[in-house]
Amino acid sequence: MQIRTILNRIQKHKGFVYGCVHFGPSDKPPSLEVQLRACKGSLGCCSGCSQPRPGYDHMAERRFEFIPMWGILIFFLYALRRVDCPTCGVVVEKVPWAQGKETQCLSYQWFLAGWAKRLSWKETAEVFRTSWGKVFRSVEMAVRWGRAHVDLSGVLSIGVDEIQYQLGHKYLTLVYQIDGHCKRLLWVGKERTEATLEGFFDWFGPERTVALKYVCSDMWKNYLTVIAKRAAQAINVLDRFHIMSHMSKAIDEVRAQEAKELVSKGYNPVLTKTRWILLKRPENLTEKQEVRLADLLRYNLRAVRSYLLKEDFQYFWEYTSPGWAMRFLDKWCTRALRSRIEPMKRVARMLRNHRTLLSNWFKAKGALSIGAVEGFNNKAKLTIRRAYGFRTFGAAEIALYHTLGRLPEPEFTHRFC
Ligand SMILES: [Zn+2]
């Protein structure tokens, strides 16, 4: 069987035929070069207006990288025609296997983009003996295509979240769809200002915005302001994950400070290495950690009291009636405010200031996928970490859309993956 026969089976291009196949330069990694020719009498397609136009002249032969096989790199060789177009002038033709000035075939780019979902970009480049830059461009192409073809109908609930993508307080605002039937990343914006979130609503459009039923968010003021202004009909829910993480932060602060005090005063350093014990839910502790926790609870420490306050607050989420839940909240806040532990008092004041929004949690109960925002937050952080090597907003944005956006792909992409 000839290579040409295989190529005709898997990747036929209308108006073009495969010619002879030979080995590439012997001083380079093993490669096969496949000649591509335009069919006799066929017209080139104008890259400006996509219409068939008469030929003008030929350019020098170019190499287009195709999907490698058995460790052998595959290149198509083709001399692009220039066409004489009455509307666009003399321009280079558009070919079906590659876009613009790209030296990689489209199928190869989709192939790399597919693998870049399963492996890190660096690993993908290593496995397929290509460069990080080429993997990046492939993913970028896939994301552009997917974003242009994405279906945004039927979005009822969204979650707004922020993550840090660089050291030094550089934030991204992420908007997710968190409906039961579809969970995905919808939009990524730079910073976490009011203008950022306004940017989302501008992109999302007024018609889709009025159809929103629930918007989940943190207590971050910029977000709350914009949500109230742009999606006033939707119920703004403060989500459990964010509120509990404010509490965890407070405990962390108390613990770190108290641990230092114990050491400096020469007491038994009972708080060293207890960070995770105090932050984890009791049901997630290992047996050894359980023993340490039981031991720790005997001490009348500020960190322990904060921990108990946090654990007590978990009952809040179990209520079904908003009335009872609010009574619980008020009592809890009173206790926290009397605790004389400043970080916990800060949390209590914050919760009191957002009483109405907190009660919305109970209105939305059951309608929202509760763990969705937290799940996405973790995945987004992991994506940013795995995609290390780029420190720019653009690259982080592309990596996030690629892994979390559930973007559509053209039919043919799965043929090679
Ligand atoms: Zn044209």
Side-chain angles (χ1 to χ4, degrees):
M1 192 193 290
Q2 290 194 318
I3 300 281
R4 267 200 310 214
T5 321
I6 303 175
L7 282 171
N8 278 327
R9 173 80 65 93
I10 59 163
Q11 187 87 115
K12 222 172 147 60
H13 301 296
K14 210 174 156 220
F16 299 88
V17 287
Y18 292 106
C20 49
V21 182
H22 50 80
F23 281 111
S26 55
D27 56 330
K28 296 226 168 100
S31 66
L32 281 179
E33 295 180 337
V34 183
Q35 294 282 349
L36 257 171
R37 276 199 323 266
C39 294
K40 265 205 184 103
S42 76
L43 293 176
C45 180
C46 169
S47 55
C49 60
S50 300
Q51 293 302 312
R53 301 292 186 209
Y56 180 78
D57 62 359
H58 276 278
M59 294 169 64
E61 192 172 67
R62 263 174 54 184
R63 285 153 65 91
F64 297 90
E65 198 173 353
F66 190 60
I67 302 162
M69 176 176 78
W70 302 327
I72 301 172
L73 302 176
I74 312 281
F75 292 95
F76 294 157
L77 304 187
Y78 179 72
L80 287 164
R81 290 171 285 182
R82 288 205 297 168
V83 295
D84 194 0
C85 174
T87 19
C88 314
V90 175
V91 289
V92 74
E93 72 175 314
K94 186 166 104 179
V95 289
W97 60 85
Q99 273 180 336
K101 292 199 166 73
E102 193 51 70
T103 56
Q104 296 180 96
C105 290
L106 263 174
S107 333
Y108 188 35
Q109 290 197 302
W110 280 106
F111 175 87
L112 288 176
W115 278 100
K117 262 187 201 167
R118 297 165 216 180
L119 306 171
S120 75
W121 296 2
K122 194 165 161 260
E123 285 166 323
T124 309
E126 277 164 12
V127 171
F128 298 102
R129 295 184 202 175
T130 182
S131 65
W132 186 93
K134 282 182 182 174
V135 175
F136 172 71
R137 283 212 306 279
S138 303
V139 174
E140 194 180 25
M141 181 281 301
V143 166
R144 282 231 171 95
W145 194 94
R147 294 287 289 163
H149 292 83
V150 75
D151 174 13
L152 292 172
S153 58
V155 181
L156 298 176
S157 344
I158 57 169
V160 183
D161 190 18
E162 93 261 332
I163 59 163
Q164 216 173 334
Y165 77 106
Q166 269 180 348
L167 292 175
H169 296 283
K170 291 266 191 180
Y171 288 93
L172 297 178
T173 295
L174 307 181
V175 183
Y176 309 110
Q177 178 179 6
I178 51 169
D179 288 312
H181 63 276
C182 182
K183 295 183 195 63
R184 58 182 166 167
L185 172 67
L186 287 177
W187 189 83
V188 182
K190 214 173 182 172
E191 310 292 337
R192 47 174 184 168
T193 60
E194 286 187 21
T196 313
L197 197 56
E198 295 265 10
F200 163 75
F201 285 111
D202 291 343
W203 168 82
F204 199 55
E207 273 163 44
R208 292 191 199 98
T209 303
V210 293
L212 287 176
K213 287 208 166 105
Y214 300 104
V215 181
C216 240
S217 74
D218 188 11
M219 286 176 277
W220 183 242
K221 193 168 166 284
N222 291 341
Y223 291 163
L224 297 182
T225 313
V226 177
I227 293 166
K229 184 171 133 201
R230 301 288 296 261
Q233 86 293 342
I235 300 178
N236 188 181
V237 182
L238 296 181
D239 72 272
R240 180 176 177 163
F241 159 64
H242 277 116
I243 287 171
M244 292 322 281
S245 53
H246 280 292
M247 261 184 227
S248 294
K249 266 182 214 148
I251 292 176
D252 226 19
E253 199 181 321
V254 177
R255 186 200 55 84
Q257 211 205 347
E258 203 171 26
K260 240 190 259 165
E261 280 172 27
L262 288 178
V263 173
S264 71
K265 287 180 184 160
Y267 289 115
N268 199 358
V270 281
L271 279 174
T272 39
K273 296 200 178 151
T274 54
R275 181 163 186 236
W276 294 110
I277 295 173
L278 293 175
L279 294 185
K280 267 185 172 179
R281 294 300 320 271
E283 60 266 28
N284 298 334
L285 293 175
T286 64
E287 225 168 283
K288 217 171 135 192
Q289 286 174 325
E290 266 177 43
V291 176
R292 289 244 16 221
L293 177 67
D295 182 48
L296 201 61
L297 292 181
R298 295 184 300 133
Y299 295 89
N300 183 24
L301 294 168
R302 292 199 305 279
V304 169
R305 280 187 286 134
S306 309
Y307 168 81
L308 293 173
L309 275 170
K310 178 196 81 171
E311 277 310 308
D312 196 32
F313 192 81
Q314 299 283 6
Y315 290 108
F316 174 73
W317 309 106
E318 311 294 327
Y319 281 94
T320 39
S321 130
W324 286 106
M326 288 304 117
R327 279 184 60 172
F328 174 89
L329 177 76
D330 292 337
K331 279 190 181 161
W332 187 92
C333 288
T334 311
R335 270 175 57 209
L337 289 169
R338 285 186 190 148
S339 69
R340 280 178 288 161
I341 307 169
E342 191 43 46
M344 292 310 280
K345 282 164 78 176
R346 222 162 45 216
V347 173
R349 279 194 293 267
M350 191 163 63
L351 293 177
R352 261 198 183 162
N353 288 338
H354 295 92
R355 238 176 142 269
T356 329
L357 292 181
L358 274 165
S359 74
N360 281 347
W361 163 267
F362 301 93
K363 286 189 203 159
K365 226 177 172 185
L368 288 177
S369 152
I370 296 159
V373 174
E374 180 173 12
F376 274 123
N377 185 281
N378 290 333
K379 281 187 210 151
K381 277 186 200 147
L382 186 72
T383 306
I384 296 277
R385 220 178 305 142
R386 265 181 31 158
Y388 74 90
F390 31 71
R391 312 234 171 267
T392 63
F393 166 73
E397 183 190 23
I398 281 169
L400 287 166
Y401 280 133
H402 191 52
T403 30
L404 304 176
R406 289 179 57 167
L407 293 176
E409 293 173 0
E411 267 302 307
F412 71 85
T413 46
H414 297 290
R415 219 187 302 154
F416 302 106
C417 276

